[in-house]
């Protein structure tokens, strides 16, 4: 798994972590909010922020084949 530490405000994500949802499994109770799926592959930069908590997610590595 990539660097998915809920105490961080910036998280690196790889193809293995897709589909990406925030909050991540195992997040502490205080960090919970309604689950939202974040599509990093739509963005040309491969970055997106959670609309609830503001955590920045950044896609790293090779993009998966067949994703739209």
């Amino acid at each position: 798994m990539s660097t998915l530490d809920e105490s961080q405000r910036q998280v690196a994500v790889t193809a293995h972590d897709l589909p990406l949802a925030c909050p991540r499994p195992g997040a502490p109770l205080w960090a919970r909010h309604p689950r939202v799926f974040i599509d990093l592959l739509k963005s040309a930069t491969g970055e997106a922020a959670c609309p609830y908590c503001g955590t920045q997610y950044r896609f790293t590595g090779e993009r998966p084949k067949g994703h739209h």
Side-chain angles (χ1 to χ4, degrees):
M1 185 177 275
S2 63
T3 311
L4 293 175
D5 178 359
E6 291 300 323
S7 65
Q8 293 179 324
R9 299 297 291 182
Q10 295 185 348
V11 179
V13 177
T14 65
H16 182 269
D17 302 311
L18 299 178
L20 176 65
C22 188
R24 300 295 300 163
L29 188 56
W30 61 265
R32 300 269 175 172
H33 54 68
R35 188 174 190 193
V36 59
F37 285 91
I38 300 172
D39 189 354
L40 297 176
L41 301 178
K42 271 188 179 177
S43 165
T45 62
E47 296 180 0
C50 174
Y52 288 102
C53 67
T55 299
Q56 282 289 128
Y57 293 96
R58 182 177 38 86
F59 188 82
T60 60
E62 186 177 339
R63 289 180 176 245
K65 307 280 190 262
H67 260 60
H68 301 275

